[in-house]
Amino acid sequence: MQMGLAAGAASVFPQSLLAQDKAAAASDSGARLVLLGTKGGPRVGGSRSNPANALVVDDAVYVIDTGMGVSAQFVKAGLDFRKLRAIFISHMHSDHELELGNFVYNSWVTNSFTKPVDVYGPVGIEDMVRDYWALNRIDIETRIADEGRVDPRPLLHGHDMAFEKRQVMQDDKVTVSALPTPHKPLQNFAYRFDTPYGSVVYSGDTSFYPPLADFAKGADILVHEVLYEPGVDALTKRARGGEAFRAHIMNAHSTTGQVGQIAAMAGVKTLVLSHFVPGDMDWITDDMWREGAARHFQGEIIAGHDLQEIPLS
């Protein structure tokens, strides 16, 4: 098992270090949103990776959700593990948190994880952090003793958050706020990031929820999950799901038209569609995703793609 881990790291992360050096040489001024994974749901495969995002503010990186594939996407985007400051998890569905531990581990094996990193999310995050280290105790303690690595366990700080509107954290780059939104049966947080360069709001997973528009009022960018209703039957059939599965999809997400309404009510500059449901059916075009939202929102609408970068004005 240890040889497999080492081989996997060797095949991916020398390239990551080159990407980090390239990133370090670039300008550290400004802010941009990087869409690391734009497909909703836990299914892997197809042209999109699972949900993950990065907000880069000057020389600091903040990751929002850690679906399967986030480590590889982070590397492909040329982002620098050494600049990671905090991680924010919207809710405890696997497509949003499955690679949390592995993402931090993959930073550690490049000798990039040497400073504290905070991870915020619903109740359960603290257990997840603790259990991940327990699951990988043998590998981690072997590498500490055999390779002289720092102990990563005291550096990752999990923070369970009560399900209420709140300010999450503030540092010299960003102020982060959270808003509970409906995604039954789980608790979901939308996050707002206010930076010197503008504001970004990330919806997480949510059904139509007008208070989200108030939360996003005046933001430069609203990143909102989106459901294409004509694709639900095809998704249900492929997933071998029954009526309960279909009902969850319909009741726990926002249609294209509803997303457009939220963006219009909020008065945001740019609406970014992401967490596409279904997210890997090629017959659904970008124009089809945008069409429903455009009936209500007259601003810029971006149908997001993996590794797309969107600057803050």
Side-chain angles (χ1 to χ4, degrees):
M1 177 63 82
Q2 183 175 342
M3 290 180 63
L5 283 168
S11 66
V12 174
F13 287 104
Q15 180 181 351
S16 79
L17 293 176
L18 292 174
Q20 290 178 7
D21 289 340
K22 180 180 178 181
S27 172
D28 284 334
S29 178
R32 67 189 191 277
L33 173 70
V34 185
L35 305 179
L36 299 176
T38 58
K39 176 172 61 177
R43 181 185 175 95
V44 297
S47 60
R48 296 182 186 272
S49 189
N50 299 101
N53 306 270
L55 179 63
V56 184
V57 185
D58 295 332
D59 59 349
V61 179
Y62 307 86
V63 167
I64 308 104
D65 281 340
T66 55
M68 187 66 181
V70 62
S71 298
Q73 295 295 94
F74 194 88
V75 171
K76 290 176 184 177
L79 298 174
D80 190 339
F81 280 117
R82 294 169 294 186
K83 296 180 179 180
L84 178 66
R85 287 205 182 179
I87 301 169
F88 303 87
I89 302 299
S90 61
H91 65 289
M92 301 299 279
H93 265 143
S94 62
D95 53 324
H96 294 259
E97 44 79 346
L98 188 63
E99 202 175 321
L100 171 61
N102 286 349
F103 176 69
V104 176
Y105 179 96
N106 288 332
S107 172
W108 179 63
V109 295
T110 67
N111 289 319
S112 301
F113 186 41
T114 58
K115 297 181 293 185
V117 170
D118 292 294
V119 53
Y120 302 92
V123 172
I125 290 296
E126 294 175 13
D127 286 347
M128 181 175 288
V129 169
R130 184 195 64 241
D131 293 346
Y132 181 82
W133 297 135
L135 178 68
N136 293 278
R137 177 184 61 82
I138 294 175
D139 174 86
I140 290 166
E141 292 182 355
T142 298
R143 293 186 186 278
I144 291 171
D146 190 47
E147 301 172 13
R149 297 182 182 273
V150 300
D151 189 340
R153 291 168 290 192
L155 298 177
L156 186 62
H157 302 155
H159 302 276
D160 286 353
M161 300 194 304
F163 197 51
E164 59 190 21
K165 186 176 181 180
R166 60 189 295 141
Q167 180 173 307
V168 178
M169 56 84 72
Q170 183 175 19
D171 63 16
D172 60 320
K173 305 294 183 183
V174 66
T175 299
V176 184
S177 305
L179 175 75
T181 71
H183 185 58
K184 293 181 179 180
L186 293 178
Q187 298 179 342
N188 177 82
F189 284 110
Y191 289 103
R192 179 175 179 130
F193 300 82
D194 290 301
T195 82
Y197 306 98
S199 300
V200 177
V201 173
Y202 173 70
S203 73
D205 284 10
T206 180
S207 55
F208 180 66
Y209 191 54
L212 177 59
D214 293 332
F215 184 67
K217 188 73 70 177
D220 295 273
I221 297 172
L222 170 62
V223 185
H224 204 298
E225 68 122 80
V226 64
L227 167 70
Y228 187 66
E229 195 168 355
V232 173
D233 287 339
L235 175 62
T236 302
K237 180 179 179 180
R238 187 185 66 186
R240 302 181 182 90
E243 185 54 38
F245 176 83
R246 189 183 190 283
H248 165 74
I249 297 298
M250 291 300 302
N251 296 332
H253 298 284
S254 300
T255 65
T256 57
Q258 291 171 335
V259 173
Q261 291 178 57
I262 293 294
M265 293 162 61
V268 299
K269 294 180 180 178
T270 300
L271 170 62
V272 177
L273 304 178
S274 189
H275 191 281
F276 296 101
V277 180
D280 53 4
M281 294 185 180
D282 292 339
W283 61 271
I284 308 176
T285 66
D286 286 359
D287 285 342
M288 293 163 73
W289 286 113
R290 284 190 291 256
E291 182 182 12
R295 296 194 192 108
H296 304 277
F297 179 64
Q298 303 304 310
E300 182 182 20
I301 303 174
I302 296 173
H305 287 270
D306 289 9
L307 305 181
Q308 184 172 3
E309 295 193 4
I310 303 167
L312 270 72
S313 55

